[in-house]
């Protein structure tokens, strides 16, 4: 049931603090030690891993792209991220010491399942991240980490995405813990900060009215661009995907560093550009994106800036400023994605679309 909301999507967006909390539940022990025993891959096997390969489609692929930053940093392992339908038709170099992570909300996406089979034929260990108990993916994997988003009915993925992020953070931190990487202290600190994320997501949800008003004011636009750096880049891609599937608008997510290599030619008077700004603590990244905002604004873009609370450096260049709670860079997608979901949902509704059932799309793509 929709629980008083007009659409399942609105209900699922609102459920995100609870979904994030449930996905953390029982996995954080005393002193910030993680226990993920239910995932069924022994610690010894995890210590032998020398490479991680992530396979997924759509929004789950964006969770994978964010996982790469976390796994490289906290686990100190090389990590590749692949669209499952590309991976399965290539000849990837895998071995017994490769950990393949397959991410799928439904656990029924055909391309992701076929990618898992492809990986297992080459003896790689496969870990699934899945939201649906009893679906096919967990049966095909060596181990599984369930997300506890609860049933996601709307076609556009929202709460499943946030819980996939929690799952990949848990895995990256757990790998860091069992492998004893140089980031040992940071790993425990980060576990504590992860536990605070349900509250932070809740705070974001409380401040969404201006985002909805902005979305309604942009309902007649033909195109919106999204820019980000580091983990903000996959967030930009996710924001664009939401807008494509719900509002049927042309939308593209770019790495801000690519602007000068082509996309800046797209900027014209009043083109809305959403920019995801990293925390000020990541000075180099932060300052680079502030100059990107100046560059596009000088060319007429209408800048919609998502930045952490108290970041006044962006004020002179932001036509609209959306503030999110201050959190560490790697965890920031949990708070920066939410305004983009609300934005796409509201804009599509203003256009008169059914956001639960976008045209031409199915909730899970079980065919090839
Ligand atoms: O069930 P899955 O996570 O495997 O689904 C993957 C994609 O089909 C899915 O995320 C799709 O991109 C969503 N509709 C995006 O909102």
């Amino acid at each position: 049931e929709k629980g008083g909301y007009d659409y399942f999507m609105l209900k699922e967006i609102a459920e995100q603090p609870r979904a994030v909390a449930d996905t953390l539940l029982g996995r954080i022990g005393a002193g910030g030690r993680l226990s993920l025993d239910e995932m069924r891959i022994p610690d010894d096997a995890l210590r032998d891993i020398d490479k991680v390969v992530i396979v997924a489609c759509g929004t789950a692929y964006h969770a994978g792209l964010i996982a790469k930053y976390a796994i490289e940093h906290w686990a100190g392992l090389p990590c590749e991220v692949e669209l499952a339908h590309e991976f399965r038709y290539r000849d990837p170099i895998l071995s017994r010491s490769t950990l393949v992570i397959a991410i799928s909300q439904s656990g029924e996406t055909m391309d992701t399942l076929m990618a898992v089979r492809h990986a297992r034929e080459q003896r790689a260990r496969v870990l699934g991240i899945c939201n649906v108990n009893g679906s096919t993916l967990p049966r095909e994997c060596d181990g599984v980490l369930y997300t506890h988003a609860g049933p996601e009915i709307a076609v556009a993925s929202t709460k499943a995405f946030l819980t996939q992020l929690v799952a990949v953070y848990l895995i990256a931190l757990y790998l860091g813990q069992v492998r004893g990487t140089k980031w040992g202290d940071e790993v425990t600190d980060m576990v504590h900060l992860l536990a605070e994320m349900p509250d932070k997501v809740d705070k974001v949800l409380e401040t969404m009215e201006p985002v909805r008003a902005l979305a309604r004011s942009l309902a007649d636009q033909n195109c919106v661009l999204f820019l980000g750096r580091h983990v903000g880049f996959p967030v930009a891609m996710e924001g664009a995907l939401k807008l494509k599937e719900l509002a049927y608008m042309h939308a593209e997510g770019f790495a801000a560093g690519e602007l000068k290599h082509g996309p800046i030619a797209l900027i014209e008077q009043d083109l809305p550009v959403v920019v995801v700004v990293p925390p000020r603590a990541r000075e180099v990244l932060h300052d680079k994106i502030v100059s990107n905002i100046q560059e596009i604004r000088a060319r007429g873009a209408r800048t919609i800036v998502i930045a952490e609370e108290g970041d006044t450096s962006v004020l002179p260049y932001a036509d609209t400023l959306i503030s999110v709670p201050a959190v560490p860079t790697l965890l920031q997608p949990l708070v920066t994605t939410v305004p983009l979901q609300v934005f796409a949902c509201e804009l599509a509704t203003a256009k008169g679309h059914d956001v639960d059932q976008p045209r031409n799309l199915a909730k899970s793509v079980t065919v090839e």
Side-chain angles (χ1 to χ4, degrees), residues 40-356:
R40 298 195 316 247
I41 300 182
D43 288 356
D44 278 347
L46 294 178
R47 277 187 273 270
D48 287 343
I49 298 300
D50 59 18
K51 177 168 90 162
V52 178
V53 177
I54 301 178
V55 292
C57 301
T59 287
Y61 170 68
H62 297 153
L65 291 173
I66 292 165
K68 176 182 169 80
Y69 294 82
I71 288 170
E72 286 176 352
H73 185 71
W74 290 321
L77 284 167
C79 179
E80 296 163 12
V81 193
E82 304 256 4
L83 288 162
H85 35 88
E86 288 296 320
F87 173 87
R88 61 177 285 205
Y89 294 114
R90 291 195 2 259
D91 300 309
I93 315 299
L94 310 174
S95 72
R96 193 69 190 139
S97 51
T98 309
L99 178 67
V100 171
I101 304 179
I103 310 176
S104 173
Q105 185 284 130
S106 61
E108 301 296 350
T109 298
M110 182 58 80
D111 283 316
T112 307
L113 293 172
M114 297 309 278
V116 165
R117 283 176 205 159
H118 195 47
R120 292 197 80 187
E121 275 159 20
Q122 294 181 56
R123 301 179 57 245
R125 285 181 202 273
V126 184
L127 172 63
I129 295 178
C130 185
N131 193 47
V132 181
N133 242 301
S135 62
T136 309
L137 180 71
R139 287 201 298 275
E140 301 263 341
C141 294
D142 295 292
V144 62
L145 192 70
Y146 281 104
T147 50
H148 297 298
E152 192 181 64
I153 312 290
V155 164
S157 188
T158 55
K159 61 175 181 171
F161 178 67
L162 258 63
T163 61
Q164 284 162 355
L165 292 180
V166 171
V168 298
Y169 292 142
L170 287 170
I171 291 168
L173 291 166
Y174 189 72
L175 285 167
Q177 182 180 299
V178 297
R179 297 168 58 84
T181 57
K182 60 180 174 175
W183 303 109
D185 290 342
E186 188 181 321
V187 166
T188 22
D189 288 351
M190 211 45 68
V191 169
H192 292 303
L193 290 166
L194 201 50
E196 293 173 9
M197 293 312 289
D199 282 346
K200 310 270 181 194
V201 175
D202 205 31
K203 293 238 158 56
V204 180
L205 288 169
E206 282 167 11
T207 58
M208 286 298 94
E209 201 38 56
V211 174
R212 281 190 277 269
L214 170 76
R216 288 192 293 272
S217 76
L218 295 176
D220 293 332
Q221 295 287 329
N222 300 319
C223 171
V224 178
L225 300 184
F226 295 77
L227 295 179
R229 273 181 186 265
H230 194 266
V231 290
F233 170 34
V235 170
M237 295 167 77
E238 174 61 9
L241 177 61
K242 291 285 97 93
L243 208 56
K244 284 176 201 164
E245 70 177 335
L246 299 171
Y248 318 149
M249 271 165 80
H250 178 243
E252 219 54 67
F254 295 109
E258 271 298 287
L259 267 177
K260 292 187 181 55
H261 302 283
I264 201 162
L266 290 168
I267 307 294
E268 55 189 16
Q269 198 58 38
D270 294 329
L271 177 77
V273 184
V274 180
V275 189
V276 183
V277 179
R280 283 159 296 176
R282 286 300 287 262
E283 213 178 316
V284 179
L285 282 179
H286 175 273
D287 295 357
K288 285 215 159 112
I289 213 150
V290 175
S291 2
N292 293 140
I293 302 173
Q294 294 177 39
E295 283 158 8
I296 58 169
R297 197 154 186 266
R299 289 164 180 79
R302 173 168 177 183
T303 55
I304 301 159
V305 176
I306 303 181
E308 69 180 6
E309 287 163 344
D311 186 350
T312 48
S313 65
V314 291
L315 276 174
Y317 320 108
D319 291 308
T320 307
L321 177 63
I322 302 168
S323 293
V324 292
V327 299
T329 308
L330 282 167
L331 302 185
Q332 208 197 23
L334 285 171
V335 290
T336 48
T337 305
V338 176
L340 303 182
Q341 299 167 340
V342 171
F343 178 75
C345 185
E346 186 73 17
L347 200 152
T349 314
K351 286 181 128 194
H353 301 324
D354 176 346
V355 290
D356 285 346

